Amino acid sequence: MPENEWIQGKRFYFLGIGGASMSALGKYVLNCGGELYGYDAVPSERTAELEKAGVKIYSSATIGEEEKAVINSAEKIVCTSAISKGNARFEECMAQGKNVTYRGEFLGEIASAFPCVVSVAGSHGKTTCTSMCAHIFLSAKKRFTAHIGGDDILLENYYRSGDDYFLTEACEYKKNLLYLHPSVAVLLNIDRDHMECYRGEED
């Protein structure tokens, strides 16, 4: 069992909760007994799924007093890399003196508690390969948790049958993959992508 018991009973607020990775991490928080709230500007199937599971999700252009109170009481604020300074919710978190943990860092925190981590990196094919690995582990009846950056037909973007293995995508955007310290690292390919984050192909 991973050492993520600290999640149980804690209140989380996710900025950009509708993203593939963010919603999967949200499901993990719920799975571990955490209390989850979130914001996303665009309602989607993912946000609807979380709302069905009891998550309160805000989507209005302005921040109401209720949401401000949720931010104030949240013990962990997790933010997608797509949101930064200038966003009204982000600024509200800053104004309240909250520490904001970005998605990649939070993924690394969760992964670090598992005895064996398999991370799939590359400019192309991460979701497909991670899904394939998850199906192999499922067929082999392994106890594992999968964090998938897209929607697998059977497993969707999150699956958990146990905590012996953690399967995850390792996103290169803003060097988020460096938050992961996997037991097994799978590198599919390298392309000249996200040059706003890297000095060049060698970097």
Side-chain angles (χ1 to χ4, degrees):
M1 175 121 181
E3 297 175 0
N4 281 327
E5 290 89 351
W6 63 272
I7 292 175
Q8 187 170 0
K10 297 293 191 298
R11 176 173 286 191
F12 292 75
Y13 176 78
F14 276 28
L15 265 167
I17 198 169
S21 175
M22 288 286 284
S23 60
L25 292 171
K27 291 173 186 178
Y28 182 79
V29 165
L30 291 176
N31 236 196
C32 292
E35 184 182 1
L36 182 62
Y37 294 80
Y39 161 79
D40 205 289
V42 183
S44 63
E45 288 184 13
R46 291 194 184 105
T47 57
E49 182 184 12
L50 288 170
E51 286 178 314
K52 191 175 179 181
V55 179
K56 174 68 176 179
I57 297 177
Y58 303 92
S59 58
S60 63
T62 57
I63 313 172
E65 292 304 314
E66 178 188 299
E67 188 177 2
K68 287 182 180 180
V70 166
I71 292 171
N72 183 261
S73 63
E75 290 154 288
K76 188 83 167 179
I77 309 278
V78 181
C79 180
T80 177
S81 297
I83 292 178
S84 59
K85 293 178 181 178
N87 175 277
R89 264 80 180 183
F90 188 93
E91 295 300 330
E92 179 64 28
C93 292
M94 293 295 99
Q96 292 199 28
K98 292 291 185 177
N99 290 321
V100 175
T101 302
Y102 277 102
R103 181 208 65 84
E105 186 179 358
F106 186 58
L107 174 60
E109 289 177 9
I110 288 175
S112 68
F114 285 78
C116 184
V117 177
V118 179
S119 64
V120 180
S123 301
H124 313 284
K126 292 186 293 295
T127 299
T128 301
C129 186
T130 305
S131 294
M132 290 169 67
C133 289
H135 279 273
I136 291 168
F137 274 62
L138 184 65
S139 296
K141 296 181 171 54
K142 297 297 183 183
R143 292 172 47 79
F144 72 100
T145 298
H147 163 267
I148 304 170
D151 294 313
D152 180 86
I153 293 173
L154 176 65
L155 306 178
E156 298 180 342
N157 63 342
Y158 171 79
Y159 178 83
R160 187 184 186 193
S161 64
D163 301 314
D164 293 342
Y165 302 90
F166 186 69
L167 311 180
T168 183
E169 294 190 26
C171 179
E172 72 278 10
Y173 180 58
K174 292 190 176 179
K175 303 188 179 182
N176 280 318
L177 78 174
L178 297 180
Y179 288 115
L180 292 163
H181 303 281
S183 314
V184 179
V186 181
L187 177 58
L188 301 174
N189 44 61
I190 296 175
D191 201 351
R192 288 181 58 83
D193 198 9
H194 296 306
M195 286 297 104
E196 74 280 12
C197 310
Y198 298 93
R199 293 187 297 272
E201 195 166 3
E202 183 65 26
D203 186 29

